[in-house]
Amino acid sequence: MQRILSLASENIKTSSLLSSLSKVALIIGLCTVTPLTQAADRIQVSAPIYEFNLDNGLKILVKQDKRAPVVVSQLWYKVGSSYEHGGITGISHVVEHMMFKGTKKYPTGEFNRIIGENGAEDNAFTGQDYTAYYQVVANDRLEVAMDLESDRVRGLTLPPDEFKKELKVVQEERRWRTEDNPNALTYEQFMATAFMNSPYHNPVIGWMTDLENLKVEDLRAWYERWYAPNNAVLVVVGDVEPDQVFEMAKKYYGSLKPSELVPQKPQVETAQKGLRTIQVKAPAELPYIMLGYKTPALVSAKADEAWEPYALEVLSSILDGGSSSRLSRDLVRGKELLASAGAWYNGFGRMPHLLVMNGTPAKDVPIDTVKAELLAQVERLRKEQVSTEELARVKAQVIASEIYERDSLQHQATVLGSLETVGLGYKVMDEYVDKILAITPEQIQQVAQKYLIEDHLTIAELVPQPIDKSKPRFAPTFVR
């Protein structure tokens, strides 16, 4: 499941399933000797989710995990870059930066000072479909976190001087993480080509020209429109008592006034009518290529097609599910044609997205060879059914990944918050393993034949240009 957020600073997505495979290798052996259904049953035996709703519309989700006296508190807002329109792209991320610049109760700098004095960690992230703020605290400090976080739901002062300084920070962040990063720049151009009128066309961090023209008044309007209790979900996971969390949330969040939330007009991507290709010229040491196929999202899938996102999830893991997956085994280690390769599917957002493959050639290998090899992998999936042994391996990885990921309080809270804010609902989490286990070789071939076709394909190629060696190579710190 696509559970890791597309941060403003993160231009290339990775799924937690894929990113966890290095860890799961340790227990693959266990899962292959233990019946998968037994392992899945172990996952289903987990702590329940307690749900509360305040009168002002704030939803509260609480999950107990008492292995350590620690708690993660996350506040999720249903707003991100996919809510933005032309001229103000990147505004959700800029508001995220300004959320640390003070309220009347806690002026600029106080939030971080108090968090530090209490030995806590805090941060925030902006994605395509949401913006979230979190604190990791000792369980007897949860009230401190709630006091601070609830105060800035409605109380932000947005000082103009701080806005000007922070906008410069964001612009520098964009230069460093996108414009001076050839692969990230290729990804940005790739997304803008793949999507014509879906808001996924725009980067989370925003286009530079839009950032240059943002005004503090734009931020105030955006903040007042979206930062309301009835547009937020509070997720608390850790060593807590659910009833106490609810009472605490009622104390700190209960008096906040809701907004009148006007539904956005739908922005449905216009049907693609053929192959799209682009070249991106940028200073780089090596070429790079991305291939993306339009694919459905679970949130909008018809009832009789609701299995398709799970089949695509398994398909992407067959391509890139650890060292024994096809891209790594056949192209990186086998033929040694690629220095690196990857694949991922994003079907758990609030709108349809892509199944993406990428590759960097090994030394002296033409980029056209990389493209041909990646397309050959797609063609194989279309023509041949996956073997039962290979499918069993992928399913074992899914289960192993679930076991490891549920060790993380932060991850558990992130899954709950992201599923709620994209409109899927947190209960999808409980169905995930069973849905994956139900996928058959025939279904994988069906989605490959249906969606991995040239008319749904976008290809972006990075064409390396000479590198300016005088430019700094180490990332600056983007301190709020």
Side-chain angles (χ1 to χ4, degrees), residues 298-357:
L298 180 62
V299 71
S300 56
K302 298 175 183 174
D304 60 347
E305 297 174 343
W307 58 271
E308 291 183 345
Y310 296 97
L312 287 161
E313 179 89 339
V314 175
L315 185 154
S316 71
S317 294
I318 288 166
L319 291 171
D320 183 19
S323 59
S324 59
S325 62
R326 291 184 178 182
L327 296 186
S328 178
R329 183 192 63 208
D330 298 346
L331 303 184
V332 177
R333 298 196 315 277
K335 295 180 181 178
E336 298 184 353
L337 293 173
L338 275 66
S340 65
W344 67 90
Y345 164 65
N346 188 340
F348 298 87
R350 73 184 188 98
M351 285 177 280
H353 212 278
L354 300 169
L355 185 141
V356 178
M357 304 170 71

Side-chain angles (χ1 to χ4, degrees), residues 205-216:
I205 201 166
W207 301 108
M208 183 61 92
T209 51
D210 288 347
L211 293 174
E212 288 170 346
N213 289 290
L214 272 184
K215 306 296 182 188
V216 71

Side-chain angles (χ1 to χ4, degrees), residues 223-284:
Y223 170 71
E224 291 177 353
R225 177 179 180 185
W226 297 111
Y227 280 64
N230 53 327
N231 194 46
V233 180
L234 176 65
V235 181
V236 178
V237 178
D239 186 8
V240 293
E241 296 300 327
D243 288 342
Q244 292 177 7
V245 173
F246 173 59
E247 291 302 321
M248 200 182 296
K250 193 175 178 182
K251 173 182 176 182
Y252 287 101
Y253 289 92
S255 62
L256 299 173
K257 292 183 179 179
S259 283
E260 183 179 350
L261 298 171
V262 179
Q264 286 193 303
K265 292 185 181 297
Q267 292 179 272
V268 180
E269 173 68 5
T270 299
Q272 189 168 338
K273 297 296 185 182
L275 173 66
R276 297 174 186 169
T277 62
I278 59 165
Q279 287 189 331
V280 180
K281 295 181 178 179

